[in-house]
């Protein structure tokens, strides 16, 4: 528990700075492999504009080519150099010799009865992560839920992914690659410009992993996705969901200015310590203070509080009232998500009556509190389930091969 004595903002900054360094050093231990193919060709997806210019200079080409390539890679979505028609044939061949424009490979793809599409992508080193496209039921648009790590360190007790230990961080190429591959699946190229409607219209960093424990790669990927000459997705259409890595929240707000979602799930420290063990490090008071500091929060850009509704655990009226007290003064919205059972978990979803009563208290206080029914239930909706199933299948196959 934090001390109740007031802490100066200098002290907060100094503390955050040293914690940030510690988190970044730990993150480096789980760095992704260098994106190079077995035959030594360099992956171009995931390079910043400056890095792209550098690798072109290394093969004796002028840096201005980076602009051309950027357009083909991120605006047109082209992966084959020979289709880049504004580039002369000899240069196409040279690029082909040194580079690739890749995508993660697809291990499994399932489309639910409600049109939710779940992808399990495999990366070059054989690691896998899940991506989900959740279409809007009323309009031709939808959210792509992207993973930031393979596995997760945080072990939130209600979360299936939390049962898979952290293997490594995903690289910028792998994070951008999930979005690009999802767009391939719907043929959404070239990137729609300006206000032209998009089918894959928003990104939520809510898949496997804690994005603020892989900040450098996530930030690089989001900058690429937001670049106006490529995919050009507005920062207003990107939401990063965190369990509350307080020291990195400020950095994310200052540098990226994307929307923020908080996996809150409990309003008392004793319970949140159990449900979201990270709370022992950054308790609710510090988390809420970081939300107040978050620069992108304004009335038009509310902070979303995710609240998994677990029967007889966190779903009482008293907890709803405490939630309202906590978010008072913040532009906020509360997503109430009935717990989605997975094998091995003892939790159960809240009853309909509990959900309704809880939501009413939050709404009466002037906050939106939609109840989010799980999508894609028929295709292993709980995050992390597709990956577990694929791993089991592979283990069974290797056991069969050994026998
Ligand atoms: S809820 Fe998010 S942070 Fe917690 S274990 Fe699951 S993936 Fe990790």
């Amino acid at each position: 528990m934090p001390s109740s004595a007031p802490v100066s903002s200098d002290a907060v900054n100094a503390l955050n700075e040293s914690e940030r360094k510690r988190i970044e050093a730990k993150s480096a231990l789980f760095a992704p492999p260098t994106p190079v193919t077995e035959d030594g060709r360099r992956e171009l997806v995931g390079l910043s504009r400056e890095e792209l210019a550098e690798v072109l200079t290394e093969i004796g080409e002028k840096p201005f080519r980076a602009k051309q390539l950027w357009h083909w890679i991120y605006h047109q979505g082209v992966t084959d150099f020979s289709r880049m028609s504004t580039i002369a044939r000899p240069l196409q061949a040279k690029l082909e010799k040194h580079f690739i424009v890749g995508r993660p490979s697809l291990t499994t793809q399932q489309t639910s009865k409600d049109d939710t599409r779940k992808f399990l992508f495999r990366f070059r080193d054989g690691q896998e992560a899940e991506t989900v496209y959740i279409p809007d039921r009323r309009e031709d648009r939808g959210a792509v839920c992207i993973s930031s790590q393979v596995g997760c360190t945080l072990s939130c007790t209600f979360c299936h992914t939390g049962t898979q230990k952290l293997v490594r961080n995903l690289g910028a190429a792998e994070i951008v690659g999930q979005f690009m591959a999802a767009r391939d699946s719907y043929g959404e190229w070239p990137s729609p410009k300006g206000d032209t409607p998009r089918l894959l219209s928003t990104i939520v960093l809510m898949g496997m992993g804690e994005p603020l424990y892989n900040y450098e790669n996530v930030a690089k990927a989001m900058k690429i996705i937001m670049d106006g000459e490529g995919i050009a997705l507005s920062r207003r259409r990107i939401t990063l969901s965190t369990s509350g890595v307080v020291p990195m929240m400020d950095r994310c707000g200052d540098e990226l200015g994307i929307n923020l979602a908080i996996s809150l799930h409990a309003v008392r420290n004793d319970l949140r310590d159990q449900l979201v063990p990270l709370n022992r490090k950054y308790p609710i008071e510090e988390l809420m203070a970081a939300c107040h500091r978050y620069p992108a929060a304004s009335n038009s850009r509310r902070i979303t509080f995710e609240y998994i509704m677990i029967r007889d655990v966190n779903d009482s009226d008293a907890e709803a009232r405490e939630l309202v007290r906590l978010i008072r003064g913040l532009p906020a919205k509360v997503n109430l998500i009935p717990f989605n059972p997975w094998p091995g978990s003892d939790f159960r979803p809240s009853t309909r009556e509990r959900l309704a009563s809880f939501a009413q208290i939050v709404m009466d206080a002037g906050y939106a509190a939609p109840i989010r029914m799980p999508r894609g239930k028929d295709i292993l909706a709980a995050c992390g389930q597709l990956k577990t199933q694929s791993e089991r299948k592979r283990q069974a196959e290797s056991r069969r091969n050994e026998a």
Side-chain angles (χ1 to χ4, degrees):
M1 289 285 293
S3 148
S4 54
V7 182
S8 76
S9 63
D10 283 355
V12 169
N13 289 341
L15 192 72
N16 275 359
E17 193 47 43
S18 67
E19 267 290 287
R20 255 200 297 273
K21 288 209 174 99
R22 189 191 63 78
I23 291 167
E24 282 158 10
K26 190 159 179 214
S27 174
L29 299 176
F30 293 93
T34 313
V36 174
T37 58
E38 275 177 8
D39 60 7
R41 288 182 298 161
R42 172 83 211 217
E43 172 64 79
L44 294 185
V45 172
L47 297 184
S48 66
R49 275 174 180 268
E50 298 71 34
E51 288 169 337
L52 191 54
E54 268 167 37
V55 295
L56 287 165
T57 312
E58 280 166 21
I59 62 159
E61 292 301 322
K62 294 269 184 297
F64 80 87
R65 293 279 180 203
K67 192 176 164 70
Q68 246 177 339
L69 271 170
W70 192 272
H71 173 84
W72 283 111
I73 297 171
Y74 296 114
H75 179 67
Q76 300 288 355
V78 167
T79 53
D80 183 347
F81 291 110
S82 68
R83 286 188 48 224
M84 300 184 178
S85 56
T86 56
I87 296 176
R89 284 268 154 77
L91 180 53
Q92 287 178 358
K94 188 174 177 187
L95 292 171
E96 175 89 43
K97 190 168 152 230
H98 293 278
F99 306 123
I100 64 152
V101 178
R103 295 284 191 269
S105 61
L106 188 62
T107 306
T108 317
Q109 175 179 307
Q110 294 177 330
T111 307
S112 149
K113 282 188 242 149
D114 66 14
D115 292 332
T116 298
R117 187 170 292 177
K118 196 158 189 171
F119 309 89
L120 181 66
F121 289 124
R122 185 171 299 170
F123 305 107
R124 229 165 258 128
D125 62 351
Q127 294 299 338
E128 292 177 324
E130 294 175 13
T131 307
V132 187
Y133 174 62
I134 309 149
D136 191 299
R137 287 200 179 101
R138 296 168 301 271
E139 293 178 55
D140 282 347
R141 60 179 189 185
V144 184
C145 178
I146 287 181
S147 294
S148 54
Q149 297 181 307
V150 179
C152 189
T153 35
L154 290 183
S155 311
C156 301
T157 43
F158 55 84
C159 172
H160 192 255
T161 299
T163 61
Q164 301 170 18
K165 71 174 179 23
L166 178 65
V167 178
R168 68 167 174 83
N169 288 328
L170 291 178
E174 295 164 333
I175 297 169
V176 180
Q178 291 174 65
F179 188 59
M180 296 176 88
R183 284 183 56 174
D184 291 346
S185 170
Y186 290 89
E188 193 166 62
W189 297 107
S191 296
K193 283 200 164 165
D195 292 333
T196 311
R198 293 169 183 247
L199 203 56
L200 283 69
S201 58
T202 50
I203 286 181
V204 288
L205 284 152
M206 276 182 201
M208 304 173 71
E210 165 54 62
L212 293 185
Y213 272 170
N214 183 21
Y215 180 76
E216 296 297 340
N217 288 306
V218 166
K220 193 173 173 194
M222 292 308 114
K223 283 178 188 163
I224 291 170
I225 285 173
M226 292 189 287
D227 186 292
E229 289 179 24
I231 295 173
L233 196 68
S234 153
R235 65 187 66 228
R236 294 174 174 274
R237 299 202 164 276
I238 301 175
T239 301
L240 180 144
S241 173
T242 178
S243 296
V245 186
V246 167
M248 302 306 287
M249 285 166 63
D250 294 316
R251 196 168 162 206
C252 175
D254 291 342
E255 292 180 1
L256 301 178
I258 55 182
N259 302 321
L260 187 67
I262 303 292
S263 295
L264 189 66
H265 312 312
V267 292
R268 299 187 326 267
N269 280 321
D270 60 339
L271 180 59
R272 195 163 190 270
D273 282 353
Q274 290 171 37
L275 296 180
V276 185
L278 184 67
N279 193 70
R280 295 174 203 155
K281 203 159 189 52
Y282 310 114
I284 291 172
E285 299 75 5
E286 287 184 23
L287 177 59
M288 298 313 293
C291 289
H292 279 277
R293 291 196 299 272
Y294 197 73
S298 67
N299 272 327
S300 57
R301 298 180 68 193
R302 295 170 292 184
I303 293 180
T304 304
F305 289 87
E306 309 282 346
Y307 199 94
I308 303 246
M309 294 286 289
I310 310 173
R311 192 181 303 184
D312 301 330
V313 173
N314 64 352
D315 62 353
S316 69
D317 286 352
E319 280 158 314
R321 284 191 286 272
E322 179 59 13
L323 174 59
V324 167
R325 194 191 67 75
L326 281 178
I327 62 178
R328 195 166 289 144
L330 273 174
K333 167 188 175 188
V334 179
N335 276 345
L336 299 174
I337 311 152
F339 173 70
N340 189 13
W342 43 269
S345 171
D346 294 333
F347 290 140
R348 290 177 305 158
S350 299
T351 61
R352 276 176 189 276
E353 295 70 32
R354 260 308 66 235
L355 277 164
S357 173
F358 197 106
Q360 196 59 51
I361 292 170
V362 179
M363 285 189 292
D364 286 348
Y367 295 100
I371 296 170
R372 301 275 184 210
M373 296 316 284
R375 299 283 302 273
K377 257 193 154 170
D378 51 323
I379 54 162
L380 305 165
C383 182
Q385 234 167 309
L386 205 57
K387 179 169 181 283
T388 312
Q389 215 192 38
S390 148
E391 264 169 16
R392 277 202 204 112
K393 205 166 129 197
R394 257 196 292 166
Q395 279 162 7
E397 272 165 15
S398 74
R399 272 197 299 274
R400 266 201 304 277
N401 292 341
E402 278 165 20

